[in-house]
């Protein structure tokens, strides 16, 4: 069994927390942050069992600064 770390982005939409994994594209939701992350972990595990990632598919996350009116 392989183990890999992935990025999780969590935000609130109305009364639910949304958790996303940008490297894989999986998304889940929950009433709490913990529930959303737990659901995302399971969804990502199931996705990777069906569609394994290539070993070289590393992605990097950074930030940008944008000025606007």
């Amino acid at each position: 069994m392989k183990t890999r770390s992935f990025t999780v982005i969590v935000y609130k939409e109305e009364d639910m927390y949304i958790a996303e994994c940008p490297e894989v594209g999986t998304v889940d939701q929950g009433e709490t942050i913990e529930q959303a992350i737990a659901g995302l972990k399971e969804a990502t595990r199931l996705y990777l069992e069906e569609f394994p990632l290539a070993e070289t598919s590393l992605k990097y996350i950074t930030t940008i600064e944008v000025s606007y009116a």
Side-chain angles (χ1 to χ4, degrees):
M1 179 171 282
K2 296 179 184 179
T3 301
R4 251 174 101 167
S5 295
F6 294 100
T7 303
V8 176
I9 300 169
V10 180
Y11 56 93
K12 192 167 186 178
E13 242 181 45
E14 296 180 13
D15 61 342
M16 297 296 282
Y17 287 95
I18 311 299
E20 296 182 16
C21 177
E23 291 95 340
V24 180
T26 48
V27 179
D28 209 330
Q29 65 182 15
E31 292 181 358
T32 66
I33 292 172
E34 294 78 12
Q35 288 175 346
I37 292 172
L40 179 66
K41 186 174 181 179
E42 179 66 7
T44 303
R45 184 187 65 77
L46 292 170
Y47 179 88
L48 292 174
E49 284 181 0
E50 188 70 27
F51 306 103
L53 295 179
E55 293 298 322
T56 59
S57 67
L58 296 177
K59 294 184 181 181
Y60 299 94
I61 296 180
T62 187
T63 61
I64 61 171
E65 187 173 304
V66 178
S67 299
Y68 61 94

